[in-house]
Structures are given as structure tokens and as C-alpha cells.
């Protein structure tokens, strides 16, 4: 769950085992992502790999939020996991090699009840399949190229 500086809910990532959903509250939409297509890799939609897929990138344990986290470094991203849950991610600027984007948990609460609606896309939200987004993007790029080349 990601909130803006004002504390308002911006987006939430929900996983049901087969699909991931990036829920955008401002637009009342959710992008559906087929997790089997990711093959354990991070993607631009913000869906992150699970810890098992990172085993070759393990570097050490570090303390974060008073938790003994396993740290993985892929070269472009450094991720901190505690009991399989991503608590912190730092992403490098590939051109300059410095960490320039980070997202991290601000609190960890274990064994607390969580309402089931937190794991569902709200009924009134439009669900967009990520495959459709790529097809729309390819079509728009093709049209733009035709305009530029005069074809």
C-alpha cells in the first residue's frame, strides 16, 4: 500500500496467487497482471519478485525496522525481506549507478487481523488487463510512426 505525502491512499498491490492487481485509487482502476508471465522478475508495473526467485542475489543480513532482513542485490535493485515480505527496496539509476528511488515500510505488525476487503479490488473499480495496455501502447506507437513517416 502506498500513500502520498498527505497520507491519502494512492495505490495498493494485491496478489491472489495467480494475478497481481495494481489498484489506483485516484482513477478507480486496477491493472491486472498475470503473475505467470513475470517469471520472477520485477517489472514496471511495480509487481515485485518473491524472495525465492532472488536466491542467487543474496548478499547478507541487515537490520531494518528492528527486523533481521535478508538482503538481495541484483545490481539495479537492493531488496530487504523479512519472513518473505519485502520491507525495503532501493533502485539504482542505471546510467549513473547510484540509488535514486526507494520505497520502504514504516512499520511492521505481525499476527494482527486484516480485513478481507484489503485483499480485493473494490467492486466499483474498472479492471484493465495489462496485456491490453501493451497492445494499446503498441498501436499508439505504430500510429505515431506512420504520422512521422507519412505512410
Amino acid at each position: 500500500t502506498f500513500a502520498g505525502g498527505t497520507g491519502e491512499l494512492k495505490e495498493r498491490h494485491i496478489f491472489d496467487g495467480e494475478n497481481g492487481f495494481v489498484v489506483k485509487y485516484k482513477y478507480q482502476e486496477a491493472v491486472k497482471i498475470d503473475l505467470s508471465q513475470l517469471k520472477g522478475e520485477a517489472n514496471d508495473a511495480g509487481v515485485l519478485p518473491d524472495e525465492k526467485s532472488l536466491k542467487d542475489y543474496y548478499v547478507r543480513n541487515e537490520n531494518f525496522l528492528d527486523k533481521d532482513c535478508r538482503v538481495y542485490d541484483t545490481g539495479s535493485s537492493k531488496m530487504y525481506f523479512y519472513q518473505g515480505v519485502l520491507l525495503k527496496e532501493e533502485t539504482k539509476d542505471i546510467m549513473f549507478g547510484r540509488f535514486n528511488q526507494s520505497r520502504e515500510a514504516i512499520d511492521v505488525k505481525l499476527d494482527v487481523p486484516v480485513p478481507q476487503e484489503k485483499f480485493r479490488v473494490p467492486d466499483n473499480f474498472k479492471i484493465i488487463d495489462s496485456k491490453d495496455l501493451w497492445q494499446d501502447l503498441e498501436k499508439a506507437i505504430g500510429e505515431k510512426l506512420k504520422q512521422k513517416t507519412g505512410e
Side-chain angles (χ1 to χ4, degrees), residues 33-49:
I33 300 150
D34 180 351
L35 296 178
S36 68
Q37 300 300 308
L38 296 181
K39 298 179 177 72
E41 299 172 359
N43 74 5
D44 292 335
V47 177
L48 298 168

Side-chain angles (χ1 to χ4, degrees), residues 30-34 43 45 128-135:
V31 177
K32 176 183 169 186
I33 300 150
D34 180 351
N43 74 5
I128 302 165
D129 194 304
S130 62
K131 293 175 204 159
D132 295 338
L133 289 177
W134 284 113
Q135 290 171 353

Side-chain angles (χ1 to χ4, degrees), residues 17-149:
E18 294 178 16
N19 297 295
F21 296 88
V22 180
V23 182
K24 302 282 191 174
Y25 287 86
K26 179 178 180 181
Y27 303 106
Q28 293 191 336
E29 295 178 341
V31 177
K32 176 183 169 186
I33 300 150
D34 180 351
L35 296 178
S36 68
Q37 300 300 308
L38 296 181
K39 298 179 177 72
E41 299 172 359
N43 74 5
D44 292 335
V47 177
L48 298 168
D50 66 339
E51 188 176 6
K52 289 180 233 163
S53 68
L54 294 167
K55 66 180 188 275
D56 294 338
Y57 300 102
Y58 173 77
V59 288
R60 69 183 158 276
N61 279 33
E62 285 185 29
N63 192 293
F64 178 70
L65 293 177
D66 292 324
K67 304 295 180 204
D68 185 30
C69 296
R70 294 179 57 81
V71 179
Y72 301 86
D73 192 337
T74 65
S76 62
S77 187
K78 186 175 175 183
M79 293 171 257
Y80 297 67
F81 281 87
Y82 177 71
Q83 296 183 356
V85 177
L86 180 67
L87 297 184
K88 181 178 178 180
E89 179 190 25
E90 299 171 331
T91 306
K92 272 186 192 169
D93 177 316
I94 294 173
M95 292 199 46
F96 299 106
R98 63 180 183 258
F99 288 108
N100 69 341
Q101 183 179 359
S102 149
R103 56 182 170 179
E104 59 187 53
I106 55 172
D107 190 17
V108 178
K109 294 178 183 171
L110 303 173
D111 300 320
V112 295
V114 179
Q116 283 300 306
E117 64 266 9
K118 299 267 187 194
F119 299 100
R120 289 193 292 265
V121 175
D123 291 336
N124 61 330
F125 280 36
K126 178 180 177 183
I127 296 178
I128 302 165
D129 194 304
S130 62
K131 293 175 204 159
D132 295 338
L133 289 177
W134 284 113
Q135 290 171 353
D136 291 347
L137 180 61
E138 287 173 350
K139 183 179 175 185
I141 290 171
E143 289 172 5
K144 207 54 151 169
L145 288 173
K146 284 180 186 176
Q147 289 174 358
K148 286 190 172 202
T149 60

